[in-house]
Amino acid sequence: MIADIVVDLQYGDCGKGKIAHALCRENKYTHVIRYNGGCNAGHTIYHNGKKFVTHHIPCGVFFGIKSIIGPGCVVHVDTFLKEIQELEAEGIPARKLVHVATNAHLITDFHRAEDGKDETIGTTKRGNGPAYRDKYGRKGVRAMDDPRLQPYIISMYHELYENEDYNDIEILFEGAQGFGLDVDWGDYPYVTSSHCTVGSALLNGVPPRAIREVWGVAKIYETYVGAKDFEGPDEVFEDIRRVGQEYGATTGRPRQINWLDFDLLKMAARINGINKLVVNKMDVLDAIGKWHAYHGPHILHFDSREDMEFWIETKLEMEVSENIETFFSGDKEHI
Ligand code: IMP
Ligand code: MG
């Protein structure tokens, strides 16, 4: 069994969907598995020139690959079924390809209503926190117990270990949210209620030695949506928001902007053990013409895109690992 993992190194919205989409094109995956989160996520994917925003469903569905919502996820059934319908309407055979693990948990309408009252964390109000609370409090309901999900349910154990349809299983794990929102490593309590690191992917039933590549995804500047103050004082952030279209894919909220925090990037790179790094949205700072990053208490000023790229790459090589291959990418650039 082989597994590649895509993991976000900042606060979500770094372009995991784009990377996962590119990887599906280049590899022979048998499965794409979403490993954490619920419909709080919004993955923007451009497929054959068309824009799709998915919340639950992994991107393997665009390539005819079996796509599973794993046991680490929580599912809101109506949202899930609506997404299936929308994809089917666009000619994508989601009904055939998409599956939900028996032991994923449900987000109920009660969870949603409760989360809808949140004012302190700035959640997406999709019921994520209450659903995970009930799962860990042993009061949750598993996906296998909802009759509406019956046609989609599969056992991860059978699928990965006792399925004669596959000689070699090759998985792409697609995460949701990001390191800065991880319930343990993020800025608690301004976090989501699931784990957003590589460890989280393994909890979905795959042995650690199956891991081949770990693709860390970041942006050249940072964004965050939620209740805490995050945006820096630079007036250029308003322009970055506009040029980078930094509005939530799920809620439409304006994302707060700040310069890249190198220390966070380094920590996320170390803890996730990445060996590939994609830094997205280079085109946005190209357009703005400013290149900055935080390093400890300092703001670094770079003269050009090339200078900033060189600094990040060298620093990660020196302080994290020589084996990280870094790609800098803009909207129209391919990795
Ligand atoms: P929740 O996951 O809806 O409980 O929200 C907790 C925090 O995570 C809030 O700050 C949300 O804005 C943030 N969040 C949750 N999902 C995403 C996402 O997919 N992208 C960016 N931020 C997210
Ligand atoms: Mg997103």
Side-chain angles (χ1 to χ4, degrees):
M1 194 188 297
I2 289 172
D4 293 340
I5 303 177
V6 178
V7 65
D8 182 301
L9 305 177
Q10 294 162 337
Y11 299 88
D13 308 316
C14 287
K16 288 182 291 295
K18 173 182 163 184
I19 304 309
H21 191 265
L23 289 173
C24 282
R25 203 161 252 157
E26 283 165 24
N27 292 278
K28 299 263 168 292
Y29 296 119
T30 51
H31 299 78
V32 179
I33 304 176
R34 250 293 285 282
Y35 58 84
N36 74 300
C39 46
N40 47 353
H43 287 187
T44 309
I45 286 169
Y46 291 87
H47 185 68
N48 295 339
K50 219 177 234 165
K51 179 177 169 177
F52 294 88
V53 179
T54 58
H55 300 285
H56 274 311
I57 294 176
C59 72
V61 79
F62 296 105
F63 297 90
I65 305 171
K66 204 167 200 176
S67 295
I68 303 175
I69 296 171
C73 299
V74 286
V75 188
H76 185 254
V77 181
D78 288 329
T79 305
F80 168 78
L81 294 174
K82 188 165 160 257
E83 234 173 282
I84 294 268
Q85 257 178 17
E86 285 169 1
L87 290 169
E88 286 281 344
E90 296 290 341
I92 291 159
R95 220 165 267 134
K96 189 182 105 212
L97 294 171
V98 178
H99 300 270
V100 182
T102 50
N103 47 349
H105 269 252
L106 298 188
I107 303 174
T108 65
D109 290 333
F110 293 109
H111 292 146
R112 269 203 169 206
E114 183 184 341
D115 198 22
K117 298 188 193 114
D118 162 75
E119 278 172 6
T120 50
I121 307 299
T123 73
T124 60
K125 303 190 191 290
R126 296 299 189 273
N128 203 65
Y132 278 109
R133 178 201 58 210
D134 283 354
K135 164 178 165 167
Y136 288 102
R138 292 160 298 174
K139 293 188 184 109
V141 182
R142 283 177 156 181
M144 61 195 272
D145 294 323
D146 191 309
R148 293 168 298 168
L149 288 176
Q150 285 320 307
Y152 300 97
I153 289 292
I154 58 171
S155 148
M156 287 301 281
Y157 183 68
H158 179 270
E159 184 65 21
L160 299 183
Y161 298 94
E162 300 196 325
N163 192 340
E164 284 164 9
D165 288 353
Y166 303 97
N167 294 322
D168 296 303
I169 288 186
E170 213 166 312
I171 299 166
L172 178 67
F173 277 111
E174 192 185 329
Q177 291 86 47
F179 187 79
L181 294 170
D182 178 87
V183 65
D184 288 329
W185 296 103
D187 185 12
Y188 193 90
Y190 298 101
V191 294
T192 190
S193 296
S194 68
H195 298 278
C196 316
T197 60
V198 157
S200 180
L202 295 177
L203 295 174
N204 287 256
V206 161
R209 287 198 176 80
I211 300 179
R212 181 174 58 186
E213 317 283 8
V214 180
W215 285 83
V217 189
K219 283 197 293 214
I220 195 63
Y221 53 88
E222 287 184 2
T223 62
Y224 158 85
V225 228
K228 71 172 175 183
D229 279 338
F230 180 83
E231 186 150 308
D234 202 317
E235 52 198 38
V236 82
F237 294 142
E238 194 58 56
D239 299 329
I240 293 181
R241 186 162 28 249
R242 182 175 40 79
V243 176
Q245 294 169 27
E246 297 294 357
Y247 296 89
T250 299
T251 58
R253 292 178 289 176
R255 296 173 181 150
Q256 299 185 61
I257 318 274
N258 214 332
W259 299 119
L260 177 113
D261 177 351
F262 180 76
D263 301 314
L264 179 81
L265 183 72
K266 176 168 127 183
M267 186 177 171
R270 282 176 158 167
I271 288 177
N272 284 302
I274 64 165
N275 66 317
K276 307 276 185 193
L277 169 65
V278 181
V279 183
N280 279 318
K281 296 270 189 175
M282 298 302 290
D283 55 316
V284 176
L285 293 198
D286 275 337
I288 299 294
K290 278 194 168 185
W291 303 93
H292 296 296
Y294 290 102
H295 184 222
H298 307 290
I299 295 190
L300 307 178
H301 300 242
F302 301 96
D303 287 336
S304 66
R305 168 173 174 169
E306 289 69 31
D307 281 0
M308 188 163 180
E309 290 183 355
F310 181 76
W311 188 86
I312 292 173
E313 221 173 331
T314 317
K315 201 84 179 142
L316 286 174
E317 230 166 67
M318 283 182 341
E319 298 186 8
V320 180
S321 158
E322 282 179 6
N323 299 322
I324 299 178
E325 192 181 356
T326 305
F327 305 84
F328 294 93
S329 176
D331 197 25
K332 303 262 167 346
E333 299 163 54
H334 294 285
I335 51 153

